[in-house]
Amino acid sequence: MSLLRNIFTVLALSSLITSCGNPALYSAEFFSDKLSDGIDGPQLSVIPAGAGIAGEEYTSSIGYHGPQRSIKNNTVFAITRAEVTFAQYDKFANATNRKLPDDRGWGRGDMPVINVSWMDATAYTKWLTEQTNQYYRLPSETEWEYAARAGTKTIYWWGKEYIQSKEHCDRDIGGCKAGTEAAQPWISGRYNANPYGLFDVSSNVAEWVMDCDDEKNRANDTTPVKTGDCEYRIIKGGDYSSRAHNTRLSARHGFSVDDKSPSLGFRLVREMH
C-alpha cells in the first residue's frame, strides 16, 4: 500500500540531519489541504527557512551541473512528499475535460503521473489552487534542491557517494537489492524518505520545475530563473532509467514545455502564509 494513504493530518517526524558535519534535530510536519469535494489533496511537508547549497562543479552526459553556490531560503514553504500521482492528476483531467496521460500499461492510481508536459503540470497547479484556495505552483530549481538536500550540503541527502539501492538502482552496475531492479516507475514509499520526509528525490521520475533554461544564470535564493529560453524549462532529479551519476541532486536538464516522457512527472510547492 502507498505510504501516501496512511497520513492525512499533520504529523511530526523527528529526523537527524547532518549539516556541515554537525547533527541537528528537525521535526518534519506533514499535512494535506482539502479539495472542494472534501477529498484530501497531495500530502505536503513543511520546509524550513535557512541556508544551503545548490549546484555542483560537475559535468555529465546531460550537461554542466554548476556552479555550486550558497543559497538562502528566506520563507517557509510546503512541498509534496511525493510526485503527483495518476489518481490526483486524473481527477483534475476528468474535471476539466482534458485527455488522460498514457500510463504505458504500468498502472495508474498511486503511480506517479507520467507523460505530462510542463504546460500540463502548470495547468494542474492552477486547478489545485482553485480547489483548495491555497497557492500551488511548481517549485523553483533552488527550492527543489534545498528540499531534496534536506539540510545537508552533500551530493546526495545521505552523503557524498552514490549507494546502490539506497534510493535508486542502476541496473548497469548490478547487485541491486531484490525488488529494486525496476525498469519502470513505482509507487512512492519503496525507498526511505529523506530527513524532510520527501520520497524519490533522486529517482523514480524526473520532475519539472519553474525555471527557464538559461546556462548563464543561476539563482542564489529560491526565486526561479526567468531569463534564457523559456520555451524550455528545467527538470530535476534522476529517474528509474538513469545512470548512477545522473541521480545527483545537482543534475539538471532543459526540456521543451510541450515535451512528454514516460520518465518525467512533477511535484508541487504550496506557499505558506
Side-chain angles (χ1 to χ4, degrees), residues 12 55 71 86 246:
I71 58 170
F86 267 104
N246 285 331

Side-chain angles (χ1 to χ4, degrees), residues 47-56 67-75 77 140-153 218-223 236 249:
I47 306 300
I53 65 165
E56 183 187 353
Q68 186 173 90
R69 59 208 182 275
S70 296
I71 58 170
K72 289 184 178 180
N73 172 40
N74 295 317
T75 306
F77 65 91
S140 69
E141 180 175 11
T142 46
E143 280 175 328
W144 189 98
E145 276 201 50
Y146 181 83
R149 292 183 192 277
T152 68
K153 296 184 178 181
R218 301 284 192 276
N220 293 316
D221 56 20
T222 50
T223 58
K236 295 291 291 181
L249 298 180

Side-chain angles (χ1 to χ4, degrees), residues 213-261:
D213 188 7
D214 187 339
E215 282 301 310
K216 296 181 179 179
N217 293 314
R218 301 284 192 276
N220 293 316
D221 56 20
T222 50
T223 58
V225 172
K226 297 181 180 180
T227 56
D229 187 351
C230 292
E231 289 301 309
Y232 282 75
R233 301 286 175 147
I234 297 300
I235 64 170
K236 295 291 291 181
D239 65 71
Y240 61 89
S241 65
S242 294
R243 296 298 305 274
H245 59 266
N246 285 331
T247 65
R248 306 163 89 94
L249 298 180
S250 59
R252 62 194 311 275
H253 191 50
F255 269 39
S256 166
V257 294
D258 295 318
D259 281 344
K260 300 179 182 183
S261 168

